[in-house]
Amino acid sequence: TLRVDGNLKEWSSLTALDKAVKGTPKRADLEAKAALGYDATNLYLAVDVTDDALKGGGGGDHVELVLVFPGGATQTVLVTPG
């Protein structure tokens, strides 16, 4: 069971995002892991990002989740820090 509580210990399936990031993913600069979960009505996203320099604001650091639906329609969801 997943709880929306910010505790990622229950997300055993976190996978490193080594090819889906801009820039060069190195531990000193950027490390990112993510996992998706779902139930009958919801889609859940867990993201754990470590970055040496947080850039806030509208054009700052974020994670993009792109959903592709049958027929080719897409929906992009931006997840920002905080």
Side-chain angles (χ1 to χ4, degrees):
T1 313
L2 298 175
R3 289 188 306 239
V4 180
D5 58 7
N7 183 353
L8 299 181
K9 290 180 183 178
E10 63 203 30
W11 290 80
S12 60
S13 62
L14 281 176
T15 302
L17 299 176
D18 60 350
K19 295 182 172 96
V21 296
K22 290 183 179 180
T24 305
K26 296 183 273 189
R27 182 157 182 86
D29 178 53
L30 171 66
E31 181 181 3
K33 297 178 183 177
L36 289 173
Y38 64 93
D39 60 23
T41 57
N42 298 295
L43 176 66
Y44 302 95
L45 171 66
V47 181
D48 183 11
V49 177
T50 302
D51 192 346
D52 66 335
L54 178 64
K55 297 176 186 166
D61 290 336
H62 64 276
V63 173
E64 274 186 40
L65 173 64
V66 181
L67 304 171
V68 180
F69 299 96
T74 62
Q75 177 69 44
T76 301
V77 179
L78 296 181
V79 180
T80 57

